[in-house]
Amino acid sequence: MLTPDETAQLAAANVTREYPNFTAHLTTSPDDRPRPSELHPAFYGAYDWHSSVHMHWLLLRTRPEAHADVLDRHLTRENLAREADYLLARPGFERPYGWAWLVALAAQCHGTRWADAFAPAVDAVDRLLTDWLPKATYPVRHGIHANSAFALGLILDTGERAGLPARTLDAVRDRLRSWFADDHDAPAHWEPSGQDFLSPALTEADAMRRVFENADDFAAWLDRFLPALATDAPCALLDVPVVSDHADPHIGHLLGLALSRAAALRTIANALPEGPVRERLTKAAEEHLDAGLPAVESGDFTTDHWLATFAELAREQPREKSREHYERK
């Protein structure tokens, strides 16, 4: 397992590495061929924009003081204002995954010298969410970046600290309810797909965990959504995914699935009353974590540019236990 110093070094190396770069930029003319660092002065590294954002988050989570020079160069108000302008000019860019990680990064910078620089970026995400949520009639349930539940759940966890207004967070909760409150009998046996790094079912359950007012109501919804959990029947979501080729960029996503499942299983378990379902989910979370963590040290850029972030999510200690969580709402 990487130490915090090694994790921070990995993150710093990635966010300052401009190439290789998968630049998701719509080219509008023969002359429109800028370098990644010209398009994204803050988030040009780590292969793609969203990975750069969450690798900055990882750096802030581990050893920011050891790499303050990198953060000082990247997280300036001017750079973040340019990133905000880019987002506003292209409302579909990184929606909603990159938006959510940008909010999480702003929240992680709260109380640091980089916090004030994020105002334009947070305002941009607020404006984008305000425009998009009323139009988002249906969720995206894929187990990759476009997944709606993962992004909105992350925004609920970090939005207040980042400075998103209460009305926007209320709109996020309302949209999650409209999408998922009546769901039942999720097809868990369909998972995983061949390039998932998120579980459609578990990200949905984890998002709804953030929305319900009390543990019993959430437990009742989960029982309808994943009835196999309460009956002790087999459930594919609890089986560690098989990864046949760690270096394949798409198959390798399944390494992240093990870690993202570990995080979701743990937080869902901690939102439930004591009992066999909570115990079953907790056991599965540990099995997924044990399977996923060794891949973080692969030394392969295919996984190095992103996987350590999901290891951090999976290792993060639960901040709230079931009934205390709901009593504070």
Side-chain angles (χ1 to χ4, degrees), residues 213-264:
E213 296 297 328
N214 63 72
D216 291 332
D217 286 349
F218 174 60
W221 178 89
L222 188 65
D223 188 40
R224 296 190 300 273
F225 184 61
L226 293 170
L229 296 180
T231 63
D232 206 32
C235 181
L237 301 174
L238 307 185
D239 298 332
V240 175
V242 175
V243 188
S244 61
D245 185 353
H246 289 202
D248 183 285
H250 295 297
I251 296 173
H253 270 179
L254 295 166
L255 297 166
L257 178 64
L259 294 170
S260 69
R261 277 187 179 181

Side-chain angles (χ1 to χ4, degrees), residues 291-306:
L293 279 179
V296 178
E297 302 181 63
S298 71
D300 183 346
F301 180 74
T302 304
T303 51
D304 278 359
H305 80 273
W306 69 283

Side-chain angles (χ1 to χ4, degrees), residues 116-191:
D116 290 345
F118 275 87
V122 173
D123 179 67
V125 174
D126 179 40
R127 291 165 61 184
L128 290 164
L129 284 169
T130 299
D131 181 65
W132 173 62
L133 286 172
K135 300 184 293 188
T137 307
Y138 308 107
V140 176
R141 299 177 187 266
H142 304 164
I144 52 177
H145 307 89
N147 182 281
S148 303
F150 176 83
L152 295 197
L154 185 58
I155 285 169
L156 287 183
D157 280 350
T158 60
E160 181 178 2
R161 189 172 176 85
L164 282 178
R167 57 166 172 74
T168 301
L169 298 178
D170 287 343
V172 168
R173 294 185 188 93
D174 289 344
R175 182 48 78 194
L176 287 170
R177 291 188 192 98
S178 74
W179 285 338
F180 302 134
D182 294 331
D183 279 3
H184 56 87
D185 299 306
H189 60 287
W190 288 1
E191 296 191 33

Side-chain angles (χ1 to χ4, degrees), residues 40-45 48-49 52-53 56 75 80 83 102 105 118:
H40 302 296
F43 306 123
Y44 61 83
D48 49 38
W49 193 87
S52 183
V53 174
H56 278 85
L75 304 184
L80 289 164
E83 299 285 3
L102 187 58
L105 175 58
F118 275 87

